[in-house]
Amino acid sequence: MTRSPEQIAADCESIYYDLEFKPARDWKAAEPGRKVVGFVPVFCPREVISAAGALAMSIVGAGDWLEVIRGDAYYQSYLCHIPRSIVELAVSNRLDFVDGMLFPSTCDVIRNLSGMWQMLKPGSFVRYVDVPQNYEPEIGGRFWEGELRILAAEIGKLTGVAVTDDSLRESIRIWNENRAAVDEMYLLRRDRPDLAPTSEVYVVLRAGNVMDPASHTKLIREYIATARTSKRAAVDSSRVVIVGAFCEQPPLALIKTIERSGCFIVDDDFLLVSRWYTAPVAETGDPFKALANAFVKHTIPTAVMYSPKTGRGGALIERVKTARAEGVIFAAPSFCTPALLDQPMLVDGLEKAGIPYTAFKYAENTGQFQPIREQTGTFADTMKLWSAV
Amino acid sequence: MTRTDVLKDDSQQRQKDLIGGYFTRLANAPKTGHKTVATFVPGNLTELISCFDAIPILPEINALQSGMRKLSGNYITEAERQGHSEDVCTYVKCDIGMFEGGNIGPTGEALPKPDLLLLSYTGCFTFMKWFELLREKYGTPSVMLHVPYQGQGEVTPEMRKYVVEQLERVVIPALEHTTGRKFDIDLLREKLAWSSKAEDDLVKVWESAKHRPSPIDGYFGGVYYIGPIFTAFRGTQEGAEYYALLRSEIEQRIREGRGPVTPEGEMKEEKFRLVVEGPPNWTHFRDFWKMFTDEGAVVVASTYTKVGGLYDRGFRHDPKDPLGTLADYCMGCYTNHSLPNRVDLISKYIEEYSADGFLINSVKSCASFSAGQLMILREVEKRTGRTGAFIESDLVDPRYFSAANIKNRIESYLQMLEQKRSSVAGAAR
């Protein structure tokens, strides 16, 4: 039976709210010996995990529907919320089915969480993933290639499935397909945000956190096909890009609030790992070299990666133009160092380019949306009513 | 004794002269033609920079100097007025506010804009954004030295090779380009030999705190001791001479059974021996220190004084392997260590220095230090059997120093230590 886009989104929303991570548990239970390797934002070489036969499970916190009690005991009030809820998930045994954890070099909080995990779960597979901030193929690329080979060997040991060049190439192909599907869904939303609103696109994207990539690709394709032909009432909203929400995720209700206030979100940096490369990873030749090259040459511009040149706002201005957006909403998690330190540079670029923007902060468990609705609604009205265009 | 009438050893005067001279030299760089290279304290490449006759600029040092001179509050407000979030590192905002206010250094002279931003990306994510921000302000080129974190608790050969390759192929060419000088590896070896000598003496100073009474305060006094070696004087003869002088003074204090020199005078009675984790607050530095000295508490070891190098765990700059040793140095700084390593180090300090307890000063600005400190507290307590204390403040934001709360906590903590000591003594009788 064909599902409507609303039905697909509703099914994905139930995955979104499921803090027992049933799809991932089911995947693991489907065959004896299967392993799940979790990772936290922003980036993870998912291809390597899949090539070792494991499920790469993205863990992005617990949103606004888990009361964080013990997690708060691990963090001072002036640190962001996502590590609290991840710790809460761990100490409440919701992640007990996860066989290993990867912590990327997103920021100092995520970095230190890797050490906390080593102490919280002694003896378990925990690895810090230090991605290169040098983008020379012969320096940073070679370092990253070496790190990937070490990681592949370690995860292979964990799963009992050695990563071979062939298995990694096949994994790259599967993840390329997934990224292509994600890109296509984002293109549909950019061109027809009335047919593919972000509140749906987001949950479809997010369902991939706990699914194997091939199944997720199929889900996205199903959504695209049905959303593209759906009949929905035309809405005249302002087109905006959301910036800063790449790690701790905004609650779904916040995304809906922004849309209901009169905004089409036509680009964003949610769940950035799903769109990390700006070009497909090479599917031939040495697969470790291919992944390393993709990283140093085709990583999407983001606050967590070093920018070697001035004009930090340039890439954002390009995104605004490509998305035919009218303005930018800076939505950064409270105490998010990468996003908040990046913001003044981006603002500077937007001001020089005459692109309107507004800014607010949130936490994954933000529960009050009316002030944000008023702010983004006013912003949308301002662009519609008083824009020079 | 008045607040301004403080005791000073010869080495303290020498330290003050060195740092003052450094800032004057820096301020005069545009006149003397010296190039300036901004970099960070953890993982700083002072010897390498000075091989090119360039002068380092340390933005953290500028910020803490501004904090101690009560200027940081206005600088931070200025940066926030310009759109910098109240949630981010106040060192960064202080530095940006200082730039907007004419970049006046501690000697009252304007500091030059850097000719190169050498981003020694060691142990702190904020460093990366900080120099991106400065690059936008100054229009100065930046060069990245990515120093991998010891996430698994060790330095691997691959990590070392990566850092050395960056030094050879990225950092040194950038310094050559900026200064117009060729790299001289023998000159670097010479400087590294001076570093190693100074490090030997500094370690003896740290280890002096194992004596009772401790002749030093390894945190509040310690930040003065690290001044030269963390700034422009590692790899110099004058730096090495300073540490030799300091060591001889400390050894004399041991022979005489004297306690540490504090701004309030020499500490007469050592009642409590503490280990401290985390940076100090700079805006109320002297008040903060006094809260300890008033109670007879001396800090026998601290982690903050190791952000520029863990020399007391054996590391020395090695002239025989100039670039490899710089790589090891960068990767070995305290904040580049995993949390389990940090727990291990604090626990060892408590044992080795016979500490009664430990205190964590958790600063709002610094997630690199602060994220995970509550777990460090529990783990160290579990491992050592000593109870820890936890206080919160900030580096240079005066709004986040609540004197009454902090004093209250410190006093309560020390009273608890005293009670525990009395109960143990009572049980033994």
Side-chain angles (χ1 to χ4, degrees):
Chain A
M1 195 180 80
T2 308
R3 294 187 292 177
S4 69
E6 292 87 351
Q7 284 168 326
I8 294 171
D11 290 345
C12 290
E13 206 168 315
S14 66
I15 295 173
Y16 169 86
Y17 282 112
D18 171 19
L19 290 180
E20 298 301 324
F21 308 105
K22 188 171 180 300
R25 286 178 188 272
D26 289 349
W27 181 90
K28 184 175 178 175
E31 280 182 29
R34 276 184 165 180
K35 305 281 186 193
V36 174
V37 174
F39 65 95
V40 303
V42 175
F43 171 78
C44 171
R46 299 175 298 180
E47 293 84 353
V48 172
I49 299 173
S50 299
L55 179 73
M57 177 176 149
S58 174
I59 298 165
V60 295
D64 58 346
W65 58 104
L66 176 69
E67 190 179 3
V68 173
I69 300 167
R70 283 175 285 179
D72 270 343
Y74 288 82
Y75 287 100
Q76 300 90 313
S77 57
Y78 47 77
L79 293 163
C80 55
H81 200 270
I82 185 172
R84 301 162 200 276
S85 66
I86 292 175
V87 168
E88 186 76 27
L89 289 171
V91 296
S92 60
N93 303 325
R94 288 177 169 88
L95 297 177
D96 277 4
F97 70 102
V98 176
D99 301 284
M101 283 292 289
L102 304 183
F103 295 87
S105 48
T106 300
C107 68
D108 294 331
V109 173
I110 296 292
R111 184 197 72 179
N112 287 5
L113 184 55
S114 72
M116 292 173 67
W117 213 270
Q118 289 169 32
M119 294 188 281
L120 270 175
K121 306 278 181 188
S124 69
F125 180 87
V126 185
R127 202 175 198 286
Y128 178 70
V129 181
D130 211 343
V131 300
Q133 298 286 358
N134 171 293
Y135 310 137
E136 291 292 327
E138 290 304 310
I139 304 174
R142 199 156 61 191
F143 168 71
W144 184 229
E145 182 191 328
E147 292 298 292
L148 289 171
R149 288 185 191 278
I150 293 168
L151 190 64
E154 288 178 352
I155 298 178
K157 210 167 148 193
L158 175 76
T159 60
V161 179
V163 176
T164 64
D165 284 0
D166 283 341
S167 68
L168 187 53
R169 272 191 290 266
E170 174 62 8
S171 177
I172 288 171
R173 189 190 64 72
I174 290 168
W175 282 108
N176 274 344
E177 279 183 1
N178 184 259
R179 273 187 296 273
V182 171
D183 287 347
E184 196 179 324
M185 182 165 67
Y186 265 56
L187 271 178
L188 171 63
R189 183 191 61 171
R190 189 188 78 188
D191 293 339
R192 293 300 305 272
D194 52 333
L195 297 183
T198 297
S199 49
E200 290 181 359
V201 166
Y202 178 73
V203 290
V204 173
L205 186 66
R206 178 132 168 193
N209 285 5
V210 288
M211 295 172 72
D212 70 274
S215 302
H216 185 230
T217 304
K218 206 170 142 194
L219 171 72
I220 296 171
R221 298 266 177 228
E222 182 190 358
Y223 176 75
I224 292 170
T226 183
R228 189 170 271 147
T229 55
S230 63
K231 305 286 179 215
R232 289 177 166 181
V235 183
D236 183 24
S237 290
S238 295
R239 298 169 64 89
V240 299
V241 175
I242 301 275
V243 176
F246 45 81
C247 181
E248 182 173 324
Q249 295 295 286
L252 182 58
L254 178 54
I255 294 171
K256 289 179 177 174
T257 296
I258 294 171
E259 289 187 321
R260 284 171 190 159
S261 74
C263 295
F264 282 140
I265 299 168
V266 289
D267 195 7
D268 60 62
D269 47 18
F270 305 145
L271 305 171
L272 212 51
V273 68
S274 57
R275 288 166 291 121
W276 192 262
Y277 303 120
T278 55
V281 182
E283 295 175 10
T284 54
D286 184 327
F288 289 101
K289 277 195 194 328
L291 283 172
N293 272 331
F295 192 91
V296 295
K297 289 181 181 166
H298 301 301
T299 281
I300 198 167
T302 164
V304 303
M305 297 301 297
Y306 173 60
S307 167
K309 294 199 172 87
T310 46
R312 282 285 299 147
L316 176 58
I317 292 164
E318 275 308 305
R319 282 174 64 194
V320 170
K321 284 182 185 164
T322 305
R324 303 186 301 281
E326 296 157 274
V328 170
I329 295 177
F330 289 101
S334 295
F335 304 108
C336 176
T337 291
L340 292 170
L341 282 171
D342 211 36
Q343 197 168 301
M345 293 182 274
L346 303 182
V347 162
D348 191 45
L350 292 183
E351 285 181 347
K352 283 177 184 152
I355 297 168
Y357 64 89
T358 190
F360 61 80
K361 289 185 290 185
Y362 67 87
E364 61 176 348
N365 64 341
T366 293
Q368 293 289 332
F369 302 111
Q370 188 55 27
I372 290 171
R373 182 171 182 148
E374 287 168 8
Q375 182 180 348
T376 55
T378 306
F379 181 60
D381 290 347
T382 305
M383 287 189 291
K384 277 282 172 230
L385 298 174
W386 290 290
S387 153
V389 184
Chain B
M1 191 181 297
T2 64
R3 280 180 70 88
T4 51
D5 182 22
V6 294
L7 274 176
K8 276 197 166 56
D9 285 337
D10 290 346
S11 65
Q12 285 176 285
Q13 190 56 50
R14 181 79 189 113
Q15 193 263 17
K16 197 178 171 202
D17 293 343
L18 283 176
I19 301 293
Y22 154 69
F23 275 109
T24 299
R25 197 163 146 251
L26 186 57
N28 289 333
K31 286 184 226 158
T32 59
H34 283 92
K35 298 292 182 187
T36 59
V37 176
T39 193
F40 292 107
V41 168
N44 73 74
L45 301 171
T46 301
E47 300 92 343
L48 188 64
I49 291 169
S50 66
C51 277
F52 296 90
D53 205 22
I55 307 172
I57 300 175
L58 289 309
E60 307 118 292
I61 303 294
N62 295 347
L64 74 86
Q65 290 275 355
S66 298
M68 291 179 107
R69 288 180 294 132
K70 311 286 185 194
L71 297 170
S72 56
N74 286 340
Y75 291 158
I76 291 164
T77 307
E78 172 58 25
E80 288 178 358
R81 197 186 60 75
Q82 290 186 12
H84 292 267
S85 171
E86 63 270 28
D87 289 358
V88 301
C89 173
T90 52
Y91 268 178
V92 179
K93 287 184 286 187
C94 182
D95 194 32
I96 284 167
M98 181 172 151
F99 169 81
E100 298 295 341
N103 229 13
I104 306 299
T107 54
E109 300 157 292
L111 301 181
K113 84 169 196 177
D115 295 294
L116 179 69
L117 296 159
L118 170 51
L119 172 45
S120 51
Y121 184 51
T122 299
C124 168
F125 176 85
T126 295
F127 287 166
M128 190 164 84
K129 306 314 288 182
W130 191 342
F131 270 13
E132 285 179 359
L133 282 160
L134 289 192
R135 194 180 55 203
E136 301 281 334
K137 291 264 177 214
Y138 287 120
T140 298
S142 64
V143 60
M144 157 69 91
L145 174 66
H146 175 209
V147 177
Y149 177 68
Q150 292 196 38
Q152 306 308 115
E154 61 181 7
V155 172
T156 64
E158 292 81 7
M159 289 158 67
R160 195 172 194 266
K161 184 168 177 247
Y162 175 46
V163 178
V164 170
E165 281 181 349
Q166 290 177 82
L167 289 170
E168 287 172 336
R169 298 167 65 175
V170 181
V171 175
I172 290 172
L175 287 165
E176 286 181 330
H177 179 77
T178 301
T179 62
R181 285 173 178 260
K182 287 299 289 177
F183 174 53
D184 178 350
I185 199 161
D186 291 326
L187 181 59
L188 179 60
R189 288 182 207 277
E190 278 175 37
K191 290 176 184 293
L192 293 170
W194 284 117
S195 300
S196 180
K197 186 173 181 324
E199 290 155 5
D200 277 344
D201 286 333
L202 177 60
V203 169
K204 293 293 179 194
V205 171
W206 294 141
E207 290 178 344
S208 72
K210 290 177 181 171
H211 288 84
R212 284 180 188 266
S214 170
I216 64 163
D217 185 289
Y219 183 54
F220 296 104
V223 300
Y224 291 99
Y225 304 151
I226 59 178
I229 206 164
F230 280 14
T231 55
F233 297 97
R234 212 179 60 219
T236 67
Q237 183 175 346
E238 51 195 337
E241 285 170 356
Y242 163 76
Y243 285 102
L245 173 65
L246 176 65
R247 177 181 171 179
S248 70
E249 279 180 3
I250 300 300
E251 286 173 345
Q252 182 65 22
R253 298 189 76 77
I254 294 172
R255 283 193 292 274
E256 293 168 359
R258 293 161 69 189
V261 176
T262 81
E264 317 304 320
E266 185 173 296
M267 186 185 271
K268 297 297 178 196
E269 188 186 5
E270 178 186 284
K271 291 185 189 163
F272 302 101
R273 296 168 64 83
L274 301 177
V275 169
V276 173
E277 144 79 7
N281 164 272
W282 300 109
T283 57
H284 298 74
F285 184 78
R286 194 165 157 186
D287 297 332
F288 191 27
W289 191 351
K290 192 169 182 297
M291 290 175 195
F292 289 75
T293 53
D294 282 352
E295 301 298 323
V298 62
V299 182
V300 288
S302 64
T303 55
Y304 175 71
T305 50
K306 313 298 158 36
V307 292
L310 272 164
Y311 306 115
D312 59 335
R313 308 323 284 179
F315 173 79
R316 293 291 181 279
H317 281 91
D318 179 5
K320 292 197 289 295
D321 181 14
L323 298 185
T325 203
L326 290 178
D328 291 338
Y329 165 72
C330 291
M331 289 186 284
C333 294
Y334 177 69
T335 45
N336 207 50
H337 278 266
S338 68
L339 256 66
N341 277 9
R342 286 169 61 185
V343 166
D344 193 43
L345 182 70
I346 296 166
S347 303
K348 281 183 176 150
Y349 279 163
I350 291 169
E351 298 302 332
E352 291 171 6
Y353 286 79
S354 309
D356 301 301
F358 68 102
L359 178 139
I360 295 176
N361 181 36
S362 182
V363 295
K364 174 182 174 282
S365 273
C366 186
S368 175
F369 259 106
S370 302
Q373 276 179 328
L374 285 164
M375 189 158 188
I376 288 177
L377 175 78
R378 285 195 281 272
E379 289 293 317
V380 174
E381 284 182 339
K382 199 162 65 184
R383 201 180 296 188
T384 64
R386 311 289 205 292
T387 310
F390 199 89
I391 57 172
E392 294 182 9
S393 66
D394 189 51
L395 295 167
V396 289
D397 192 338
R399 296 170 297 188
Y400 287 93
F401 188 84
S402 173
N405 282 340
I406 291 171
K407 188 171 168 54
N408 191 23
R409 283 212 180 181
I410 291 170
E411 286 176 358
S412 304
Y413 175 64
L414 296 175
Q415 280 168 14
M416 185 203 63
L417 288 185
E418 182 60 42
Q419 279 170 359
K420 276 195 166 187
R421 192 185 280 166
S422 305
S423 332
V424 172
R429 281 197 294 271

